[in-house]
Amino acid sequence: MRIGVNVPNFGPGTDPAALRRWARTVEGLGFDLLMVSDHVVVTPDVAEQYPAPFYEPFTTLSWLAGVTDRIGLGTTVLIVPYRHPLLVARMAANLQQLSGGRLVLGVGVGWARQEFEALGVPFERRGRLTEEHLLAMRAAWEDEDDYRAGRIPLWVGGNSDAGIRRAVRLGDAWHPLRRSVSWIREAAGRMEAAAAELGRPVPALVPRVRLRLTDAPVTDPDRLAGEGTLDQVLGDLEELRLLGADTVVVDPFGTDPRETLHPEAAWRDLAALAAARPPAAAAPK
């Protein structure tokens, strides 16, 4: 199973030097994928969780492609309604070319109502806009030579039933975010049912989970996947593998933006996981 890392591209401790260190640390530890988040306008609702500076994902990943050698690069998740779909299609195709085919595009509908208002995008239509934009992006990649750059894996996020059905209809994979193993297991069953109902193949399962290592076991019945002792986390990854996940993204960022000032704690957890994981497969294509 491949393991990716969600790298913070925001917050008071983030600058070009920090991003370079994150990228080289994650690649040096042998992880398979480096992913970043997306916001365009740091409105008050965004700033509560993801304060400035916030480095735009396509710009950041293009730069990180030049300071890394083999690690996959991706978004978790790009907020689709924020940009014209043909612009996204071109930026993604160009990044795929510039990185040597290392891009994974994780996408979602977004949640920050004030940011939608600042961009002049109707919040209430974000689901429909996302689907319209994804269809336009796929059409551009398939029909226009200038947009083609090899297969770009499309991971569709969203923990709701609507998100699951969107992944079945439009995605290569379903990308749920920060849930328990039991929740993911139950939701994977709903995804299989939706695929059967719609007459579509079952998308790949590629969850993003928390990474927080503790000295003592976490006994909370609602424990998120990736939280607990190293043995608990390795057990979570094995359960997800048995559910069919060929890639899992771990997220070492908690909820306090000040964590970005001290990434060493996250790097220690990542190093422990890297040392204990089974041999990795090849990087995602």
Side-chain angles (χ1 to χ4, degrees):
M1 182 171 67
R2 295 186 293 262
I3 301 180
V5 179
N6 188 31
V7 169
N9 54 320
F10 55 84
T14 300
D15 59 21
L19 286 166
R20 184 189 296 110
R21 290 181 68 200
W22 265 102
R24 291 180 172 168
T25 296
V26 169
E27 184 174 59
L29 288 170
F31 289 101
D32 306 291
L33 185 61
L34 180 161
M35 305 195 86
V36 297
S37 303
D38 180 33
H39 283 286
V40 175
V41 186
V42 184
T43 48
D45 49 355
V46 173
E48 288 181 8
Q49 300 180 55
Y50 310 108
F54 203 110
Y55 286 79
E56 193 278 328
F58 280 110
T59 310
T60 302
L61 291 174
S62 296
W63 181 65
L64 292 177
V67 300
T68 56
D69 296 315
R70 56 101 198 149
I71 196 166
L73 305 163
T75 55
T76 176
V77 290
L78 188 81
I79 304 171
V80 175
Y82 285 174
R83 302 168 179 86
H84 194 287
L86 295 183
L87 174 62
V88 174
R90 181 174 295 279
M91 289 192 295
N94 288 170
L95 179 51
Q96 183 76 326
Q97 292 172 326
L98 292 168
S99 68
R102 291 192 274 158
L103 180 63
V104 172
L105 199 62
V107 297
V109 302
W111 57 269
R113 183 182 290 270
Q114 293 173 339
E115 188 175 19
F116 274 85
E117 292 173 353
L119 292 167
V121 180
F123 182 80
E124 294 75 13
R125 295 191 62 232
R126 65 194 187 281
R128 177 168 293 186
L129 286 171
T130 294
E131 298 186 7
E132 292 173 355
H133 286 202
L134 291 178
L135 288 169
M137 290 160 52
R138 283 199 176 279
W141 290 332
E142 293 170 3
D143 299 336
E144 299 290 338
D145 288 341
D146 200 29
Y147 285 87
R148 291 180 185 168
R151 192 74 173 87
I152 300 173
L154 195 61
W155 296 2
V156 178
N159 294 345
S160 66
D161 284 339
I164 291 173
R165 293 174 71 86
R166 187 175 298 115
V168 169
R169 287 186 287 106
L170 299 170
D172 300 302
W174 177 48
H175 185 45
L177 307 180
R178 288 197 177 208
R179 295 287 186 160
S180 66
V181 171
S182 60
W183 185 94
I184 295 171
R185 181 184 298 109
E186 186 274 333
R190 285 188 278 131
M191 180 174 66
E192 292 178 2
E197 177 190 341
L198 296 170
R200 300 282 299 171
V202 179
L205 174 65
V206 289
R208 189 178 96 200
V209 304
R210 178 78 168 99
L211 179 63
R212 183 176 70 90
L213 295 184
T214 59
D215 294 329
V218 176
T219 57
D220 187 334
D222 296 322
R223 178 181 68 88
L224 295 178
E227 287 190 323
T229 63
L230 182 58
D231 284 343
Q232 282 183 301
V233 172
L234 293 173
D236 292 340
L237 294 177
E238 176 62 10
E239 288 197 58
L240 293 171
R241 187 190 68 82
L242 293 174
L243 282 175
D246 67 354
T247 303
V248 174
V249 178
V250 297
D251 187 353
F253 176 72
T255 58
D256 186 348
R258 290 174 295 181
E259 292 176 35
T260 62
L261 292 164
H262 307 287
E264 294 80 11
W267 295 343
R268 284 194 297 271
D269 285 355
L270 288 168
L273 178 61
R277 66 179 285 198
K285 300 295 185 182

